[in-house]
Structure formats: C-alpha cells, structure tokens
Amino acid sequence: AQSVTQLDSQVPVFEEAPVELRCNYSSSVSVYLFWYVQYPNQGLQLLLKYLSGSTLVESINGFEAEFNKSQTSFHLRKPSVHISDTAEYFCAVSLVSNTDKLIFGTGTRLQVFP
Amino acid sequence: DADVTQTPRNRITKTGKRIMLECSQTKGHDRMYWYRQDPGLGLQLIYYSFDVKDINKGEISDGYSVSRQAQAKFSLSLESAIPNQTALYFCATSEPLAGGGETQYFGPGTRLLVL
C-alpha cells in the first residue's frame, strides 16, 4: 500500500526567510507526486506536480519541489516566503498504473510572520 | 462563478438526524469525490464516482451514502449523524493531465457539527 508522510505538522517562519516543507512517500510502484495548497476557509488547489522528466518542478508563485527517487521524497521549497503564503500544504501521490485516487499526507501548516 | 460548489457551507445537526450535503460542478468532469478533513489527519476519501452509474467506496464509507443524480451533481448523506462525523467535508472533481495523472478541483467545503 502507498502512504505519504509529512513530518512537520506546523512550520513557523518569518517573512522573506526560506522554507522547506518535507514530504516522503512509500510505494513499491511508480507514482505521480503532487503538492496542494489550502488557503484559510478555502478548498485545496493544485500547487505543482511531478509526472515525469525533470525532477525539479516549479509553481507560478515561486515554490519548487524536487523528486528524489532514492530518498522517496518530494520536498517543497521557497527561497523567500510572503505573508500570503500562510496556508496548509498537502503532499499527495497517485499510482502511475491507477490514477483513480489520490493519497494525501496529513498536511503542514505554514505560518508566515511579519 | 465557482466551478465546484457545495451547499450548505455550514451545518449544525443533532445526533441521529439524517442530513444531505450537496455538490455541483460546471467543469464537465465525469469523476467526482467526497472527502472529509479532520485536524491532523489530512483528507480521507469517503466515496467516489466515475460516472452516474459507477459509485465506489473509499477508505471511510461506513455511516455515509452517496447519490450521483447527474454528471454535475454528487450528494453525500449521513443516514444517522453521530458526533464523530463532525468534520470539514470537501467535494472534488478530477480531469486527466496530459502526460499522466489527474488534477483534482475542490469545492469550498462544508463545515458540519454534530451535537
């Protein structure tokens, strides 16, 4: 069975500081990897995804994540965060062979302070 | 207008009552999902549907039922609500991505409190 682990439930950080949100997954077969973001009082929305090709993927608002197969990780990073990045971030996987369902991690709450 | 809408946005009910949460989408997607979100647990899949005639149980379907009335509508019912069903409920649709995988689109959520 597949699983996703987000070790940090909360990450407090000051504005303009760098941040890394950690995600590790467990799967014996190939997976697609996703990061979703949930802003306060909203539903989740896709932030970025890894399907194939370059292991470094980027979002339009400055986040990036790197797929590391040997470490089974897909950590999310941003070199300089803004107050508006305050949200909950979910890592998720789906099987390449069966994309019917997403398996979500437990989420990391990023709190950016001025 | 939002692509995935949920009604009601907030609901308080009593133990033993039957309630229905509704979801509508204008994205034209065949696949629809119901999740519940609990603090510290992430999202858990309750039911999913690939078309009007295809309904599937998720990880935590006990105590819930669903109805896919049309491609655009997918309702979740709690037959006899209990306090541990207090949670935030999300509806989602999905579409295939070029290159593989699918993207899910979420509604704004329904916050349910069972007293």
Side-chain angles (χ1 to χ4, degrees):
Chain A
Q2 294 70 44
S3 64
V4 179
T5 301
Q6 293 181 247
L7 290 172
D8 306 305
S9 60
Q10 296 188 60
V11 173
V13 64
F14 287 109
E15 194 172 22
E16 298 184 4
V19 70
E20 179 179 79
L21 307 183
R22 295 180 292 169
C23 172
N24 288 88
Y25 69 93
S26 173
S27 177
S28 58
V29 297
S30 297
V31 295
Y32 297 125
L33 295 153
F34 306 84
W35 277 99
Y36 280 79
V37 58
Q38 183 182 25
Y39 297 106
N41 299 313
Q42 295 185 26
L44 283 70
Q45 53 188 282
L46 182 66
L47 183 62
L48 48 74
K49 60 187 181 293
Y50 171 78
L51 304 179
S52 64
S54 173
T55 58
L56 185 65
V57 292
E58 299 177 351
S59 72
I60 59 173
N61 58 351
F63 281 94
E64 63 179 29
E66 186 161 19
F67 169 52
N68 187 320
K69 188 174 183 179
S70 63
Q71 301 285 332
T72 61
S73 67
F74 190 54
H75 301 331
L76 182 70
R77 297 188 291 262
K78 189 170 185 179
S80 176
V81 294
H82 302 288
I83 295 286
S84 59
D85 293 324
T86 294
E88 189 146 18
Y89 293 79
F90 292 91
C91 184
V93 302
S94 70
L95 299 182
V96 170
S97 59
N98 181 354
T99 60
D100 293 354
K101 292 182 283 186
L102 277 176
I103 300 163
F104 287 90
T106 51
T108 297
R109 183 169 298 279
L110 175 64
Q111 182 77 50
V112 182
F113 295 93
Chain B
D1 288 340
D3 296 318
V4 184
T5 57
Q6 294 183 234
T7 55
R9 293 293 312 278
N10 295 280
R11 179 73 184 269
I12 301 174
T13 192
K14 294 182 179 180
T15 297
K17 293 290 188 181
R18 182 180 189 275
I19 66 165
M20 179 183 289
L21 309 183
E22 299 188 352
C23 176
S24 295
Q25 54 120 342
T26 58
K27 301 189 75 68
H29 296 160
D30 289 323
R31 297 187 171 194
M32 298 186 74
Y33 304 78
W34 274 105
Y35 294 92
R36 66 176 278 174
Q37 183 181 24
D38 298 276
L41 294 181
L43 274 76
Q44 297 173 277
L45 183 62
I46 306 172
Y47 271 95
Y48 59 107
S49 169
F50 290 164
D51 66 38
V52 174
K53 296 181 180 179
D54 184 5
I55 306 288
N56 304 279
K57 292 183 177 181
E59 310 164 71
I60 55 163
S61 59
D62 288 349
Y64 301 94
S65 62
V66 292
S67 172
R68 185 83 184 265
Q69 301 94 323
Q71 186 203 40
K73 296 185 181 295
F74 192 36
S75 300
L76 176 72
S77 294
L78 284 65
E79 298 302 326
S80 179
I82 56 176
N84 76 359
Q85 291 178 311
T86 293
L88 185 55
Y89 289 85
F90 286 105
C91 174
T93 70
S94 73
E95 67 172 353
L97 290 168
E102 300 203 355
T103 295
Q104 293 199 2
Y105 298 87
F106 287 79
T110 294
R111 192 171 295 279
L112 175 66
L113 173 61
V114 183
L115 300 175

